[in-house]
Amino acid sequence: MTPDEILIALTRTSKVVPRDALHAATLHREALTPRLLARLAEVVANPKLLEDDPDLQLPFYAMYLLAGWRESQAHPLLLGFLRLPGEQALDLSCDIVTEDMSRM
């Protein structure tokens, strides 16, 4: 898969986890890292994007991939997501905040 195909596969909610795209993402880590960081930064700056599009999954896959790659530039973005006003981070991410964020 190309980086563009990977991003497309990870963008929307699917009934199955896009394992092929996640594996391919690791192979294209260098090309995808800046794009995943940008997408995550965009959502932190404008969380309404997630409110307006509940099927949008790319920012969450970005969180997992960047954390797994130990990408240091993702750390302030993850903190920014957690600092969204009120319960917004929890409401937008469902179980990610309570189940996985501590490992990220």
Side-chain angles (χ1 to χ4, degrees):
M1 296 179 88
T2 68
D4 287 335
E5 291 170 332
I6 294 165
L7 292 175
I8 290 168
L10 298 177
T11 296
R12 299 264 165 241
T13 300
S14 157
K15 293 184 185 213
V16 296
V17 175
R19 295 185 195 285
D20 291 342
L22 292 169
H23 174 71
T26 300
L27 300 175
H28 293 281
R29 176 180 172 177
E30 188 175 320
L32 288 173
T33 296
R35 295 168 78 177
L36 293 174
L37 288 166
R39 190 60 176 152
L40 187 52
E42 181 180 29
V43 166
V44 169
N46 185 7
K48 189 157 174 31
L49 294 170
L50 291 171
E51 292 173 13
D52 292 344
D53 188 354
D55 289 333
L56 183 61
Q57 292 299 303
L58 184 58
F60 303 116
Y61 282 120
M63 289 178 185
Y64 283 106
L65 287 168
L66 294 165
W69 297 337
R70 298 185 183 273
E71 176 55 54
S72 61
Q73 294 178 67
H75 189 253
L77 297 172
L78 292 171
L79 291 175
F81 184 79
L82 289 172
R83 289 183 184 129
L84 291 175
E87 299 288 319
Q88 206 169 15
L90 186 59
D91 293 342
L92 294 172
S93 68
C94 299
D95 293 342
I96 292 173
V97 169
T98 57
E99 299 294 322
D100 297 325
M101 194 61 75
S102 66
R103 290 186 302 244
M104 290 185 195

